[in-house]
Structures are given as structure tokens and as C-alpha cells.
Amino acid sequence: MLQALVDGLLLGGVYGVIATGLSLVFGVLGVVNFAHAEFLMLGMYVAWFAWRYLGLDPLIGSVLSFVVVFAVGYGVQRTLIQRVLKAPPAAQVFLTVGLMIVIENAALMVFGSDFRSVSVPYQVEGYRLGDIFIGAPYLYAFIAAVILAAALWLFLDRSWMGRAIRAVAQDPMAATLVGVDTRRTYGLAFGLGVALTAFGGAVILPYITVSPTIGGQFVVLMFTVVVLGGLGSVAGALAGGIMVGIVQSLSTLVFPIQLQNLCLFVIFIAVLALRPQGLIKGA
């Protein structure tokens, strides 16, 4: 039981960071980005190429993934997403779903359908605390996720740009009146959101293979985490991620691993019925 809790906590911390970007994008722009998981795939490929051709460990390559995908996300927002911010929700859905299909198929054309993995010295190592075994790749990914979550909190709480993002999320018109460039802020928020997910994808690369369709394995998980935590709530996404990780891990004690998401979706439905605003409401 304790081993399952620890495993779930380590997984959940990474889930939280991966889903935080999706929640941030909705909280600031009001757009449900169905292409969000494809940016996780892009971040994984950047880290893989950095490992293959530059010899960078994925934990270090995650910084490169963050920067590259941030630039891509900023460009996507300014050229595509910005055009539908005031459009009906259906237009936003069609655009992000179309973007998801384009990115995935472009990746298939460029990278092929092969599954790619990395080899790092700590891949099969671990630490033992009494009866509990902690895999080194999972522990390092969790630590990286915690550091990034703390950095995100400091950025949003202490920096001028972070406060500008929060102001635009609460009232774009009032933010404009006090001198905030809302169009630029929307671009930065979208870039930051997808970059967070790319970072999360890079740090899990030591224990997960990357392929153009990897996003499909995470898209439902991301939305489950965000809805449980409260759509638009960054803190809620982190809490939801940890909850999802622990539920997934504990359910394997009772059910076959193929049914590990059964308990998760039962709790998901129960939370939606009893507390539809999620666990934590607000940014």
C-alpha cells in the first residue's frame, strides 16, 4: 500500500505539471486546447534529438524543450488562436482539433512511426527506503516537476509579467486600462502553457518512448486532471495530477493494470456530480 502511494505521488507530480499548462491556457485565454497533448509530443522529440545529437540528458534537454516549444506556441497563438478568441466556442474547438490532427500527421511525415527511447545511466537504478523502492527516473522526473511548479508559482506571483497574466485572466479590459498589452500577454500565456507540457514530456522520456501518436495516451488524462482540479485553476491542476497518480497506482492493487483507469473515471464522475467546479476553483 505504501509503495503504491509513493509510486502514485511520483507519477501524479509529473501529471500535474503536464496538465497545468492546459489549465493556464483555459484560465487566461478561455480556449480549450485539444491540441495540447501534441505539444507534449514535440517536447519529447526535442529532448530526444538533444540526447541523440548533443548528448544531453533529457532532464537537461527539458530546458531546451521548454524554450523551443514556448517559441512554437507563441507563434501558434499569434497567428491562429488569436483569430478565434472572440469567435463562438465551436470555432475554437474546430481550430484546436484541426491543429491536433495537423501536428500529429506532420510529425508522422517528419519523424516516421518508429518508437524512440533514450538510454541514461540511471534508467534502471533506484533507491530503497526500508521496504519502499523508488525508481531513479521517476524520482528525478518528480523533482524536476516540483522545481518547475515552484518556478511557475514564483513567476505568476512575483514577476510583473506573471501579475499581468493573472490580471488578463481576471479582467482583460481592466488590464488594458492599466497598460497591459493583452494580445502579447495572451501569446505569452499560451506559449508558457504548452512549454510547461513540453517540459513534462521531456522529463518522463527516460521511462516512456516517444512516437508521433504519444499525445493520444495523455490527452484524456490531461483533461481528467484539469477537470478534477477545476478548469482554469493552476493549483487545482497540480492537486488533480497528484490525485490521479495516486488513484491510478492504488487501483492496480485491486484491478488488472489494463483497468487502472476504471476507479479514476468513477471518481471523476462522482466529483463532477458533487462538485462540478472541481477541487479548487479559480487561478
Side-chain angles (χ1 to χ4, degrees):
M1 173 72 79
L2 190 56
Q3 177 72 58
L5 282 173
V6 172
D7 291 343
L9 179 64
L10 296 180
L11 282 175
V14 178
Y15 288 165
V17 167
I18 288 174
T20 294
L22 179 62
S23 193
L24 179 67
V25 169
F26 179 81
V28 178
L29 283 77
V31 173
V32 178
N33 182 17
F34 288 95
H36 203 79
E38 306 312 317
F39 292 96
L40 177 140
M41 177 265 291
L42 292 180
M44 295 180 77
Y45 270 112
V46 172
W48 186 87
F49 280 106
W51 168 80
R52 180 70 176 80
Y53 295 105
L54 301 178
L56 294 180
D57 187 286
L59 294 174
I60 300 174
S62 62
V63 178
L64 185 60
S65 296
F66 184 96
V67 173
V68 171
V69 176
F70 174 85
V72 173
Y74 184 83
V76 168
Q77 196 282 330
R78 296 305 299 266
T79 56
L80 297 175
I81 304 296
Q82 181 69 35
R83 300 174 186 274
V84 298
L85 284 184
K86 296 182 180 179
Q92 299 175 358
V93 171
F94 287 138
L95 175 61
T96 56
V97 170
L99 188 61
M100 174 186 70
I101 296 171
V102 168
I103 293 176
E104 183 175 314
N105 283 277
L108 276 167
M109 292 176 61
V110 174
F111 305 129
S113 58
D114 296 338
F115 290 80
R116 309 183 191 215
S117 61
V118 301
S119 176
V120 291
Y122 52 85
Q123 206 153 21
V124 293
E125 295 180 355
Y127 303 94
R128 186 165 292 283
L129 297 175
D131 295 331
I132 300 174
F133 179 79
I134 302 175
Y138 294 88
L139 178 62
Y140 297 158
F142 176 77
I143 292 173
V146 169
I147 292 173
L148 185 65
L152 176 64
W153 178 80
L154 285 173
F155 172 75
L156 293 176
D157 191 65
R158 303 294 172 83
S159 72
W160 186 91
M161 183 51 67
R163 288 194 288 269
I165 290 176
R166 291 165 55 202
V168 171
Q170 293 177 8
D171 192 333
M173 182 62 71
T176 301
L177 292 176
V178 296
V180 175
D181 184 342
T182 53
R183 293 171 68 91
R184 179 168 172 264
T185 304
Y186 283 141
L188 291 173
F190 190 89
L192 179 60
V194 296
L196 288 167
T197 300
F199 181 95
V203 298
I204 63 175
L205 195 53
Y207 57 87
I208 291 183
T209 58
V210 58
S211 72
T213 57
I214 188 70
Q217 297 182 26
F218 285 91
V219 63
V220 175
L221 191 66
M222 284 183 187
F223 279 97
T224 302
V225 168
V226 168
V227 171
L228 282 177
L231 201 56
S233 169
V234 173
L238 293 172
I242 291 174
M243 178 178 176
V244 166
I246 291 176
V247 169
Q248 268 191 334
S249 185
L250 289 178
S251 64
T252 59
L253 298 176
V254 181
F255 300 105
I257 193 167
Q258 295 86 348
L259 298 177
Q260 65 174 345
N261 288 331
L262 177 62
C263 290
L264 175 63
F265 290 123
V266 169
I267 295 175
F268 173 69
I269 293 171
V271 171
L272 279 181
L274 301 174
R275 192 175 170 80
Q277 71 272 34
L279 299 176
I280 301 175
K281 187 179 181 181

